[in-house]
Amino acid sequence: MTAANRSCLELLARLGYAARGTVSLIIGLLALLAALGRGGGTTGSKGALLTLLSQPLGNLLLAAVALGLFGFSIWRALQSVLDADGLGTAPKAIVIRFGQAVSAAIYFSLGVFAVSLLAGWGYGSGNEEQSAQDWTAWLLAHSFGRWLVGAVGLAIAGAGLGMAYKAWTASFKQHLGCGGDTARWVVPLGRAGYAARALVFLIIGAFLVAAAYQSDPSEARGLGGALLALQEQPFGRALFGLVALGLAAFGAFEFVEARYRHIAAPEGAEIGKVTRAGLV
C-alpha cells in the first residue's frame, strides 16, 4: 500500500469516527431535549439520519456522514480481519474482533440507509422498533428461533458489559494519542459515553432475552425503545436525562477519537491476502 493510499484509509477511518459521533450526538441531544420537556424525542441511528436530512444543507451533511459510515465500516473490517489494532488471537481478542466484524456490517447497512435517504427511497424504513420486532419475529418462526434470539440478546448484553468495563477502566486511553490537559477532560467524556451506551445495550439485550423466553417479538426494542423503557422506571426522568447526556457525551468523544485515535493502516500485502481469500 502506498503512502497516499494509507493516508486515504486513515482519513476515511477518522471521518468514520466523526460520522458515528454525529449520529450519537443527535440521538443524545434529542433525548436530552425530551428529558427537559423542550421537544426532542427518543430515536435510534436511522431516526438520527432522518433528523440530519431535515436540517439546512441536510443533503450535503448526510452525504458526508454516509461517506463516514462506509469509511468506519471499512476500518472496522480491517480491525477485525487484519487485526489493525494488534489485539492478537487470544480468546478475549477473538471476541473483540468478532464484535468489530459485526460492527462493520451494522455501519455498512447504516451507510446504505443514508444513501437510500439521499435517493429518496428510505423514508418508510426508519422505524427501528418495527424493524427489531420484524427480524425477531422472523427468527422466532424458524427452528431453534427462540435460542437464536436469546443468543443475540445475550451477545448484545455482553457488548454492554464490555462497554461498562471500558467506562470503569478507561481502557480506551491506550488507543488515543492525547495527554496532559486534553486527557483530563477526554477521559471523563469517554467514561460517561461508554457508561450510557452500556446501560442502553443491556436494556436492549434484556428485552431480546424476554422476547425469546416469551416467544413474543413485540418485546424486542431498538435504541429508542430502550430509552423509553428508562422513562418508565422509578426516577425514570432523571435517569433518562443522565443517559441522554451520556449518549451526547459519547458523540463528542467520537470527535475526539476522529482527531486523536491511533490509526494503523495494514500493509497492502496483508489486504491483498484477505482480498484474494474473499474475506473483504
Side-chain angles (χ1 to χ4, degrees):
M1 179 182 291
T2 65
N5 288 339
R6 290 172 67 86
S7 295
C8 182
L9 179 58
E10 180 178 344
L11 179 61
L12 278 175
R14 295 195 186 283
L15 183 60
Y17 282 108
R20 187 164 77 149
T22 300
V23 172
S24 186
L25 194 58
I26 293 172
I27 293 171
L29 291 178
L30 287 175
L32 188 58
L33 288 173
L36 296 174
R38 298 178 179 271
T42 57
T43 189
S45 298
K46 291 183 177 180
L49 295 178
L50 281 165
T51 300
L52 185 64
L53 183 61
S54 68
Q55 304 309 305
L57 300 177
N59 283 335
L60 184 60
L61 293 171
L62 185 59
V65 168
L67 178 61
L69 291 171
F70 286 125
F72 192 74
S73 176
I74 292 171
W75 170 239
R76 276 289 195 241
L78 293 178
Q79 286 178 300
S80 173
V81 179
L82 298 182
D83 194 17
D85 284 336
L87 298 176
T89 56
K92 179 181 176 181
I94 293 298
V95 171
I96 293 173
R97 291 170 63 181
F98 176 77
Q100 290 169 337
V102 173
S103 178
I106 290 172
Y107 282 99
F108 180 82
S109 67
L110 195 57
V112 170
F113 176 74
V115 171
S116 74
L117 288 180
L118 290 169
W121 304 330
Y123 291 95
S125 57
N127 189 333
E128 293 184 339
E129 296 305 300
Q130 189 60 52
S131 296
Q133 292 172 8
D134 287 345
W135 73 257
T136 302
W138 182 82
L139 281 177
L140 288 174
H142 291 73
S143 300
F144 306 106
R146 292 176 66 178
W147 292 100
L148 290 172
V149 172
V152 172
L154 290 175
I156 292 174
L161 291 175
M163 293 174 192
Y165 178 80
K166 283 187 177 182
W168 180 258
T169 63
S171 58
F172 51 81
K173 290 188 299 182
Q174 64 184 307
H175 298 299
L176 298 177
C178 61
D181 292 338
T182 302
R184 290 191 183 95
W185 61 267
V186 165
V187 171
L189 195 68
R191 277 182 157 153
Y194 275 112
R197 280 171 61 84
L199 182 56
V200 170
F201 272 60
L202 286 169
I203 293 172
I204 293 172
F207 273 118
L208 278 174
V209 170
Y213 181 74
Q214 299 177 24
S215 196
D216 182 3
S218 68
E219 289 290 330
R221 297 288 187 276
L223 195 154
L227 291 174
L228 284 174
L230 280 175
Q231 290 181 295
E232 299 169 0
Q233 306 309 309
F235 306 104
R237 185 171 179 177
L239 183 59
F240 173 65
L242 286 173
V243 171
L245 191 59
L247 291 174
F250 185 79
F253 175 74
E254 286 301 275
F255 283 97
V256 173
E257 285 208 284
R259 170 64 179 85
Y260 291 109
R261 198 188 195 282
H262 299 301
I263 305 292
E267 295 294 335
E270 294 176 302
I271 295 178
K273 290 178 182 177
V274 176
T275 302
R276 287 191 295 273
L279 295 176
V280 297

